[in-house]
Amino acid sequence: MIALFSLFLLFLWPVLIFILINLILFPFHFTLRSIFSLITIPFEIFNIAVNKKLRQNHALEHATINVIQEYYGNELLLSGFAKENGFYIRGPIRPELLEEAAKVGLARLNAGDTYLAIHEKCGTSIAMSNFVASVVFLLFLFKLGYFNLFNILVAMVLANMFGPLLGKMTQQFLTTTHDVSDIEIIGIDYNYPQFGVIFPGNMEYFVRTRSLSRIP
C-alpha cells in the first residue's frame, strides 16, 4: 500500500509543480498579452479603417458567409479573410455554391441589406473582446498595484459581456462598409487538397474582386 502511495506521489508531484508554475506565471503572461493587445489591436483596426478596398471585401466576405448560412444554418463552419483584391473562404462548401452566394451577397448589399456586412463571429469581435479584457485588466493593475487571478477573471467576464457589442460596432463603422457599388466579382481560385472530395472541410477558396472604376 505504501509502495502504491509512493508511486502515486511520484507521478503526482510533476503535475502539481506544473500547475503551480502556471498559476504563478499566468498573471505575468496575461499582463504581457494585455500590453501587446492594447498596442496592436487599435493599429490593426486603423489599417483596415483607412483602406476602402479592404473594408469592401471584408463586408462582401461576411455577406457571402451570411447568405450561405441562411440556407444551410450556422452549424456549417466557415471562416474568411479579406484582402485588397478579394477574400478567402475556408470550409465545406462547393465552389459553384460559393460563387453564387458571393454574387447574391454583393447584389443584396447593393439592394440595401446592409446587415449582411456584419458577422457575429468575425475576428474583429474576438479582437475587441481581447481589447476590453486588456484594458480592464491593466486598469486593475495600475489602480491596485498588483495582479491576481480575480482581476483576470473580472476582465474576462467584462470582455465576454461587452466585446461582442463593441465588435459589431467596430465592424459597422470601421472594418466594413456596405457601399460595394463600385466592385465586382471576377472569379474564384480554388484548390482541392488531397482527399478534398472526401473531406471538403479542408477546401480553401479565394474570391477575386476588382474595382469597376478601373475597367476601361
Side-chain angles (χ1 to χ4, degrees), residues 38-182:
L38 200 64
I39 296 172
T40 59
I41 290 176
F43 182 73
E44 292 172 358
I45 297 297
F46 175 80
N47 282 340
I48 299 174
V50 298
N51 190 325
K52 182 182 178 181
K53 292 179 183 177
L54 198 55
R55 292 178 66 190
Q56 288 177 319
N57 284 319
H58 193 193
L60 186 53
E61 170 214 325
H62 287 172
T64 301
I65 294 176
N66 280 323
V67 167
I68 293 172
Q69 291 180 336
E70 282 181 357
Y71 289 97
Y72 294 95
N74 292 331
E75 63 273 8
L76 184 62
L77 299 178
L78 299 171
S79 62
F81 183 77
K83 305 282 286 184
E84 286 192 14
N85 60 335
F87 57 92
Y88 288 96
I89 294 291
R90 299 183 182 93
I93 193 73
R94 294 294 179 185
E96 60 274 9
L97 178 59
L98 174 62
E99 184 172 10
E100 180 64 22
K103 292 178 179 178
V104 170
L106 178 60
R108 287 179 59 180
L109 283 174
N110 285 325
D113 290 346
T114 58
Y115 66 92
L116 291 176
I118 309 300
H119 197 281
E120 61 181 6
K121 295 183 179 179
C122 174
T124 302
S125 296
I126 298 174
M128 292 310 298
S129 294
N130 291 336
F131 184 76
V132 171
S134 300
V135 170
V136 172
F137 176 75
L138 291 175
L139 285 176
F140 271 122
L141 180 61
F142 287 114
K143 183 70 175 179
L144 301 177
Y146 63 90
F147 47 63
N148 54 42
L149 293 178
F150 176 75
N151 296 346
I152 296 175
L153 179 62
V154 172
M156 294 178 68
V157 169
L158 292 177
N160 287 327
M161 290 175 59
F162 298 105
L165 176 61
L166 290 175
K168 288 183 178 180
M169 293 175 62
T170 304
Q171 288 182 61
Q172 182 178 358
F173 297 108
L174 294 176
T175 65
T176 69
T177 175
H178 56 79
D179 180 13
V180 292
S181 58
D182 61 342

